[in-house]
Amino acid sequence: MRISEGVEWAAHCCLLLDWMGVDEPVSTARLAAGYGLPPAYLNKQLQPLVRAGILTSTPGKRGGFRLARSLEDITLMDVLTAIEGPEEAFRCDEIRQNGVWADLPESAFRAPCAIDAAMRAAELEWRRALAARTLASVQTDAELQAPYLRRQVQDWYAEHYPAHTP
């Protein structure tokens, strides 16, 4: 399983919106510039966050995105599900009913597949871990690694987008 880059981009943009400290909508171009991303593709990645109630979107020339909830109320699982969808990562195709065991009666396969059970249990733990981590806790970790981060973001945007400084 591979999680798409859209999950990373979406989570980073949520943090960036908070660090920017502005009350106005932030355009996709401004958000994309902060990470050197292509604006059109980033916009497609952020639309599912709007549908999930993580961001709000304002159309028009002065439009853009804002956080719909605080980072304390957004989990990594919320972002992952918004971008990737709610489908389970593992799908058992019951291949044990083929080949060597193809002639066995249906009753031989009533017990769950042990591989399916193990994969589902692992995925459940993974999903619980993501649901337990808020973007606020991720932001705290980032700021512990780089205490100047919020100010750096604000300074960079003040230099590159002076009309939009907080």
Side-chain angles (χ1 to χ4, degrees), residues 120-154:
R120 287 179 188 276
E123 183 172 345
L124 182 58
E125 286 181 41
W126 175 71
R127 286 179 179 268
R128 283 182 179 152
L130 291 175
R133 285 295 307 264
T134 66
L135 288 182
S137 71
V138 173
Q139 183 182 56
T140 297
D141 290 348
E143 290 174 353
L144 285 172
Q145 292 173 354
Y148 51 85
L149 200 49
R150 181 178 299 271
R151 187 76 246 158
Q152 185 179 22
V153 165
Q154 292 173 354

Side-chain angles (χ1 to χ4, degrees), residues 3-158:
I3 298 172
S4 73
E5 63 190 0
V7 173
E8 176 188 8
W9 294 11
H12 273 285
C13 284
C14 288
L15 296 180
L16 186 60
L17 284 166
D18 188 75
W19 282 324
M20 290 173 78
V22 296
D23 291 327
E24 64 192 30
V26 179
S27 72
T28 305
R30 284 177 65 201
L31 287 171
Y35 290 109
L37 301 173
Y41 187 64
L42 178 62
N43 188 61
K44 289 179 185 177
Q45 298 304 309
L46 297 181
Q47 293 304 320
L49 296 184
V50 173
R51 290 190 291 276
I54 295 170
L55 298 179
T56 61
S57 177
T58 304
K61 185 176 180 171
R62 298 197 43 87
F65 296 95
R66 281 191 260 193
L67 289 168
R69 309 189 309 236
S70 71
L71 296 183
E72 291 85 9
D73 296 326
I74 304 168
T75 68
L76 288 173
M77 192 68 218
D78 294 334
V79 175
L80 177 82
T81 302
I83 301 296
E84 299 288 340
E87 296 81 23
E88 294 177 342
F90 181 78
R91 187 188 62 165
C92 181
D93 288 326
E94 275 296 338
I95 65 168
R96 64 187 179 150
Q97 294 182 24
N98 301 317
V100 174
W101 301 278
D103 294 332
L104 291 177
E106 188 81 20
S107 62
F109 304 102
R110 284 199 184 119
C113 170
I115 292 171
D116 182 45
M119 294 296 279
R120 287 179 188 276
E123 183 172 345
L124 182 58
E125 286 181 41
W126 175 71
R127 286 179 179 268
R128 283 182 179 152
L130 291 175
R133 285 295 307 264
T134 66
L135 288 182
S137 71
V138 173
Q139 183 182 56
T140 297
D141 290 348
E143 290 174 353
L144 285 172
Q145 292 173 354
Y148 51 85
L149 200 49
R150 181 178 299 271
R151 187 76 246 158
Q152 185 179 22
V153 165
Q154 292 173 354
D155 290 348
W156 189 88
Y157 276 97

